[in-house]
Amino acid sequence: MRTQVAIAGGGPAGLLLSHLLHLRGIASVVLESRDRAYVERRQRAGMLEQGTTDVLRESGVGERLDREGLVHHGLELRFGGAGHRVPLTDLTGRTVTVYAQTEIVKDLVARRLADGGDVRFGAEVLAIDTAGASVTFRQDGRVHTLECDYVAGCDGFHGVSRPAVPGVRTFSRDYPFAWLGILADVPPSTDELIYAMHERGFALHSLRSPTVSRLYLQVAPDEDLAAWPDARIWDELAARFATADGWELRRGPVTDRSVTPMRSFVAEPMRHDRLFLAGDAAHIVPPTGAKGLNLAVSDVTLLARALTERYASGSEGLLDAYSAACLRRVWRAEHFSYWMTTLLHVDPAADGFARRLQRSHLDYVVSSEAAARTLAENYTGLPLEG
Ligand code: RFL
Ligand code: PHB
């Protein structure tokens, strides 16, 4: 068995890479350990930078995104019982779009299969030979070897690619809280996202469609979901979003719930020999800045360009530059996500001094155009080359 690029992992990074390579005439095989229904249903990201929607649209998988995606021009920071709008588009000229990761994955799987792509579900990568190169995987109880020119490690944080980089250096932060996320069949109570900082903890009101809301609550890192019946979740959300002028949160049936730990993590370098890491396999950000999926898309956009150059001209210049080019952008997103997270969450260990600094910082972000622009520029996403 042989292909040009073996791709470990069929999340957004692996699927988009396979699609972009196909458009440039480069063959790949995607090996995904889970089944198709599972990857298409896994609830995760929702907020896309303009650069991400541009990549999807320009590569011909933006049709449903254009029809169903909700374009946003601002967001709200809510604290001290009042909302403060950050006018993202006025400050940056850019927009962001709400379109769920589940839908991007469905669009990419459908398109790869329609184009005759080789996407194997239930295929678990066991080992990667980075010099050869080849990938060993198990499917239907049998072990196979896939020979290739290059391997793309797109198998997420718990995959086998990152450990295949010898001497990999890692940098990380754990946070003393997690997010309890719900999906609910109820029209959103807001047109734009609300990031709320309350003494009881952070809360986020996001959405998926005119009839489906997505909400998150800061909880303890080891929080037990069983302790959160629907009524408690809604009461807690209502308390954290409450305003002095009596804003109301609509409630409805909860259709999905989960607890997500919060972590910052970077692996360097993102390449060893013929193996290239991309997406969550190489880096994790806490979700407060909405950067994880967007970083995965920018990584594979750069990787597709580098592989295209390699196959077109034989030059490995862009492949050699790949890790450093990604890491510049990754560290900017790491800083922004850390900053948004510490700005908006209650650190149980923070003393009065730290809490007053945090409040002063929030007041500054909503009263200084320079500070608001810093948030807006990072939130809407910096240019790919930057
Ligand atoms: P994924 O999506 O984890 O996909 C990796 C795939 O690899 C498979 N796999 C293997 N396959 C074969 N062999 C093995 N040995 C394998 N081991 C693993 C897995 O089954 C999986 O299918 O990584 P990828 O493609 O890099 O994509 C990254 C994004 O999923 C992630 O960064 C975002 O979801 C993060 N994120 C957000 N990002 C945003 O840009 N905007 C947001 O609004 C946003 N909100 C979020 C988020 C993540 C969240 N959670 C649950 C972590 C909100 C939440 C709650
Ligand atoms: C989401 O809609 O799931 C979402 C939006 C913004 C974030 C995180 C998650 O910062």
Side-chain angles (χ1 to χ4, degrees):
M1 220 185 292
R2 187 174 169 85
T3 188
Q4 289 174 295
V5 181
I7 301 177
L15 291 166
L16 179 61
L17 178 64
S18 178
H19 171 62
L20 294 175
L21 292 176
H22 169 74
L23 296 179
R24 282 132 191 174
I26 301 166
S28 67
V29 176
V30 177
L31 302 168
E32 165 58 50
S33 55
R34 303 290 192 144
D35 63 32
R36 179 174 175 182
Y38 182 90
V39 300
E40 290 186 345
R41 250 185 259 136
R42 189 167 40 194
Q43 292 302 326
R44 284 189 169 177
M47 188 50 101
L48 309 181
E49 295 173 3
Q50 191 165 316
T52 297
T53 51
D54 288 348
V55 168
L56 296 172
R57 199 171 288 129
E58 283 159 18
S59 70
V61 286
E63 194 213 327
R64 205 157 62 90
L65 164 73
D66 282 335
R67 221 171 41 237
E68 297 175 17
L70 305 168
V71 176
H72 282 197
H73 302 280
L75 60 76
E76 181 181 326
L77 295 180
R78 189 175 284 191
F79 56 93
H84 307 267
R85 182 168 190 265
V86 179
L88 299 171
T89 305
D90 291 348
L91 291 166
T92 65
R94 295 195 291 272
T95 60
V96 288
T97 302
V98 175
Y99 188 67
Q101 181 167 330
T102 47
E103 306 314 297
I104 295 179
V105 167
K106 281 181 208 161
D107 294 344
L108 286 168
V109 170
R111 181 58 188 267
R112 284 313 293 126
L113 298 179
D115 286 344
D118 193 344
V119 181
R120 305 193 187 188
F121 293 100
E124 184 191 0
V125 174
L126 303 173
I128 296 170
D129 174 356
T130 59
S134 69
V135 167
T136 308
F137 67 99
R138 180 168 42 222
Q139 191 175 23
D140 299 326
R142 291 215 304 275
V143 174
H144 311 266
T145 298
L146 174 63
E147 310 276 342
C148 53
D149 301 331
Y150 297 99
V151 181
C154 304
D155 49 355
F157 186 65
H158 300 287
V160 298
S161 298
R162 190 178 58 253
V165 176
V168 67
R169 291 190 68 192
T170 63
F171 305 85
S172 64
R173 275 282 177 282
D174 287 324
Y175 298 86
F177 35 75
W179 276 16
L180 191 167
I182 62 163
L183 202 58
D185 276 338
V186 61
S189 307
T190 177
D191 294 330
E192 294 183 337
L193 267 61
I194 304 172
Y195 288 81
M197 156 70 181
H198 188 277
E199 62 193 18
R200 301 177 67 91
F202 170 79
L204 170 60
H205 193 325
S206 183
L207 50 141
R208 286 293 176 264
S209 74
T211 55
V212 177
S213 298
R214 175 84 167 142
L215 298 113
Y216 298 96
L217 277 175
Q218 174 186 349
V219 294
D222 54 355
E223 195 72 41
D224 180 10
L225 259 184
W228 288 87
D230 290 11
R232 181 175 177 208
I233 294 175
W234 288 115
D235 287 348
E236 190 61 34
L237 286 165
R240 296 187 192 182
F241 287 121
T243 60
D245 62 6
W247 182 86
E248 285 216 25
L249 177 66
R250 286 191 206 115
R251 302 176 183 220
V254 174
T255 57
D256 189 277
R257 70 189 74 216
S258 60
V259 172
T260 308
M262 304 276 274
R263 184 184 290 124
S264 297
F265 178 93
V266 182
E268 296 184 0
M270 288 171 58
R271 172 201 188 163
H272 176 70
D273 268 356
R274 291 165 182 272
L275 166 65
F276 294 83
L277 304 180
D280 278 15
H283 40 75
I284 296 286
V285 284
T288 329
K291 287 284 161 255
L293 173 59
N294 293 297
L295 279 181
V297 168
S298 48
D299 286 355
V300 298
T301 304
L302 291 177
L303 185 52
R305 269 188 210 164
L307 289 166
T308 302
E309 181 193 66
R310 161 69 184 79
Y311 284 108
S313 71
S315 162
E316 297 205 356
L318 288 180
L319 284 176
D320 289 342
Y322 171 76
S323 176
C326 289
L327 284 166
R328 267 195 299 279
R329 200 180 166 80
V330 166
W331 277 111
R332 177 89 301 279
E334 288 289 343
H335 176 262
F336 175 65
S337 305
Y338 169 86
W339 179 81
M340 279 282 274
T341 301
T342 49
L343 182 67
L344 290 163
H345 288 71
V346 174
D347 179 347
D351 60 10
F353 184 81
R355 284 181 196 209
R356 280 165 181 73
L357 287 185
Q358 186 183 21
R359 176 57 191 264
S360 168
H361 198 162
L362 275 169
D363 285 333
Y364 180 55
V365 169
V366 300
S367 60
S368 151
E369 188 177 293
R373 181 169 285 120
T374 295
L375 187 159
E377 193 171 84
N378 282 277
Y379 190 85
T380 57
L382 294 157
L384 192 55
E385 275 74 27

